[in-house]
Structure formats: structure tokens, C-alpha cells
Amino acid sequence: MYTTEPTSLPPRTTIRTLSIARHADIVNTPHWRQKEVAALRNGIRATVYMTNGDRYVGEWKDGLKEGNGTYCYASTGAVYEGEWARDLRNGFGTYSVPALPQPVQGKTKKPLLPSLPTLKTPPRAQSTPGSHTGPLRKVYAGSWLDDLRHGRGTCFYEDGSVYDGMWEEDVREGWGRMTYKSSGSVYEGEWHEGMRHGQGVLVLANGDRYEGTFLNDMKEGPGRFIYRTKRQCYEGEWALDTPKCGTLRDLPPLAGPEGMGPNARKWWPIPELKLQDPAGILDHEREAVLQERLQRIMGESLEHDGEAG
């Protein structure tokens, strides 16, 4: 019986990988970066005071204002409350300023001398800049884009006028409705660069109304004006807020009690025209108005180009 000795196997080799210390930050975040990320504000934070005295309460993301928050401006006492994105006002928000004291018999409600508690308070304990706690007057409520009014929004002016409509880069642009407090009139129509421009309707406080085109905040082009009390309608061409040529016709009386009684319209008959060709005269005058408007607009555009150059 023969026996064979087992053959010896070669030793098993172990493969080891070497780690390069100088490239460890490619896989592992450096400690300084971890501390920097941890130091960034994220989520909802309490009041954060800026170096200029402003205050912000709301949401953060990577150290920037992001989400809903309230910002108080120290220099003016204004307050913005709404949405933020990338550290700028973006989305829906309201902007308010301190309300002015109401006049009383030609004077304001501001006392002549400070009150006794104010005199007893040390100067350091008094209110700091940006800590306005008085009543606020809402100025704007609507959409924002990169710190500018953009989109649909409502603006409340200091004189009591109200604009509700579209905005573009902080100016009125598009369709909107303006209620004028001083005159009591209402305009609803198109806007361009903050002025009435395009098709629109202007209703005056006495009920008279204009329906037509506007140019640079004035009546310009074809339109008609309805006299509510006289019950007459003028329809024709306008230039620089003034009627130039057109026709005037009577309207039927108002229905209901308003068209009867002592306040009813007193009829003033329109004199009959005694012209050979009234339609031809009207066309000639309209053509003259169109030529004058074209020259005026071209001159204004040339002046604007000269100032820009």
C-alpha cells in the first residue's frame, strides 16, 4: 500500500488598500465645513437683530430668509409680513408704514411736552430704533418678485386713493382699477408705466363717464363721453384730454324715479346742423386731428431718444 504526501499549497495573499489622507475630504466633509453648515440659520428662528437695527422673525434656509417671516425696518418703522425666497421678498406679502397722527383743529395729536413716565425713564431704557409699536397704515398687499411689486396687488395711497390691479417691476402695468379719493372718480382699464394707457372707462363723481382710449394718462383717440344729467352723448376724437371733433346726440331718459320729478333732466334741444356736407367736414377734421397726433407723438419719441442718447 502506497501513501502519498499531500502537496503543499502556496500561501494565500491578502490585498490591502492604502488610503490617501490628503484626499479624505472628497468623501468625508471637512470639519470646518461641518461647523460652517451648522452655523447657518435653518428653520424657524426667534428674533434676529441686524447690524443696522432691523429685526426679522421667521423661517430661514442656509442662512437666508426663506418662507414666511416678518421684517421690521428700523430707519422708517415700516413692517413687511409675508413670503421670502433667497433673502428677498417673493410671493404674497403686506407692507405697512407708521400711521401719521390725525390733525385736530389744524394741529396734530402730538403732546407739547413729554409725559411724566417718559421723563422718569432713563434714556437707555427708552425705545430703540426699529421698535415702533404705534398704529400702522397698510400701503401694499399682493405679489412680490425680488423685492419689487410684481403681479396682482392692491396699493393704498396716503391721500386715500386705492389701486387694485396688475404690477410689473414696482409700477402699475396691465389691467387695473383706481379709485381717486380727492375727485371721487373711478378709472378701470389698461395701464402702462404707471399711467392710464390704452382702453379704459373713467366714471366721474357726478355720474358722467368716458369710454375710450387713453395715452400718457390723458384722453387721446376715439372715445365717447356720456353726460348723465343732460342725457346726451358725445362721440368722436379726443386729443390731450380735450374733445376735438365728433357728434352729439340725445339719450333716452333714465328709468325709474330718477328720470322723473324735479330732478329729472331739463331738455336742451340740440341745434340742427345746416351744412352741405357734414359727414365730409367731420372726416376732414378727424384726419387733421390724426395728423396732428402723429406729429406730436413722433416729436415726443425723438425728444426721448435724444435725452437717452
Side-chain angles (χ1 to χ4, degrees):
M1 182 175 182
Y2 298 95
T3 62
T4 60
E5 296 181 356
T7 58
S8 60
L9 297 176
R12 187 174 183 180
T13 59
T14 303
I15 301 176
R16 297 180 179 179
T17 58
L18 299 178
S19 59
I20 303 176
R22 66 174 180 270
H23 296 314
D25 57 347
I26 299 178
V27 180
N28 303 322
T29 305
H31 293 291
W32 67 268
R33 181 59 180 169
Q34 295 177 5
K35 294 181 179 180
E36 183 181 5
V37 173
L40 295 177
R41 303 184 183 97
N42 282 281
I44 301 177
R45 290 295 184 95
T47 305
V48 177
Y49 293 87
M50 311 300 172
T51 56
N52 59 356
D54 296 352
R55 309 192 314 274
Y56 174 75
V57 182
E59 296 177 299
W60 297 80
K61 182 179 180 182
D62 296 335
L64 301 177
K65 294 184 283 292
E66 186 92 16
N68 293 303
T70 302
Y71 194 96
C72 302
Y73 299 87
S75 59
T76 60
V79 176
Y80 170 80
E81 184 177 1
E83 296 177 304
W84 296 78
R86 304 179 305 278
D87 218 35
L88 299 175
R89 293 172 291 190
N90 280 280
F92 183 85
T94 60
Y95 182 82
S96 305
V97 298
L100 298 176
Q102 298 295 329
V104 178
Q105 298 179 356
K107 300 181 180 180
T108 60
K109 291 184 178 180
K110 185 178 180 180
L112 298 179
L113 296 175
S115 60
L116 186 60
T118 305
L119 293 175
K120 292 182 178 180
T121 305
R124 293 184 179 179
Q126 294 179 2
S127 60
T128 58
S131 59
H132 179 82
T133 57
L136 296 174
R137 179 181 67 86
K138 186 180 294 184
V139 175
Y140 176 78
S143 299
W144 297 76
L145 179 63
D146 294 340
D147 263 355
L148 299 177
R149 292 172 289 187
H150 193 94
R152 176 70 181 272
T154 304
C155 185
F156 305 88
Y157 295 90
E158 189 174 354
D159 63 347
S161 302
V162 179
Y163 170 80
D164 182 16
M166 302 302 297
W167 296 78
E168 184 174 338
E169 296 183 353
D170 222 33
V171 295
R172 298 185 292 265
E173 188 78 25
W175 193 267
R177 176 187 177 93
M178 171 73 84
T179 302
Y180 300 92
K181 178 66 175 179
S182 58
S183 62
S185 58
V186 178
Y187 170 80
E188 185 171 358
E190 295 178 298
W191 297 77
H192 179 61
E193 295 182 352
M195 296 184 293
R196 296 173 295 189
H197 193 100
Q199 295 292 326
V201 177
L202 177 64
V203 181
L204 304 182
N206 60 359
D208 296 348
R209 58 188 290 162
Y210 168 80
E211 304 173 358
T213 57
F214 287 80
L215 179 65
N216 296 333
D217 222 31
M218 293 185 292
K219 306 180 190 72
E220 186 80 35
R224 61 178 181 177
F225 195 93
I226 299 175
Y227 299 90
R228 184 175 181 275
T229 305
K230 295 181 180 180
R231 300 304 300 154
Q232 292 176 345
C233 176
Y234 165 81
E235 188 169 1
E237 290 289 333
W238 296 71
L240 298 175
D241 233 17
T242 305
K244 288 297 183 178
C245 63
T247 57
L248 185 68
R249 58 186 176 87
D250 287 326
L251 296 176
L254 294 174
E258 194 172 358
M260 301 181 294
N263 296 326
R265 174 210 167 170
K266 298 178 177 59
W267 291 89
W268 293 275
I270 300 175
E272 184 179 356
L273 296 177
K274 297 181 179 180
L275 301 173
Q276 295 181 355
D277 187 11
I281 296 176
L282 184 60
D283 292 340
H284 180 269
E285 293 296 327
R286 182 179 288 108
E287 184 65 24
V289 172
L290 295 177
Q291 292 297 329
E292 185 273 335
R293 179 183 302 134
L294 180 61
Q295 295 178 2
R296 172 161 43 86
I297 294 176
M298 292 297 295
E300 293 176 355
S301 62
L302 291 177
E303 292 179 0
H304 179 72
D305 295 340
E307 294 176 357

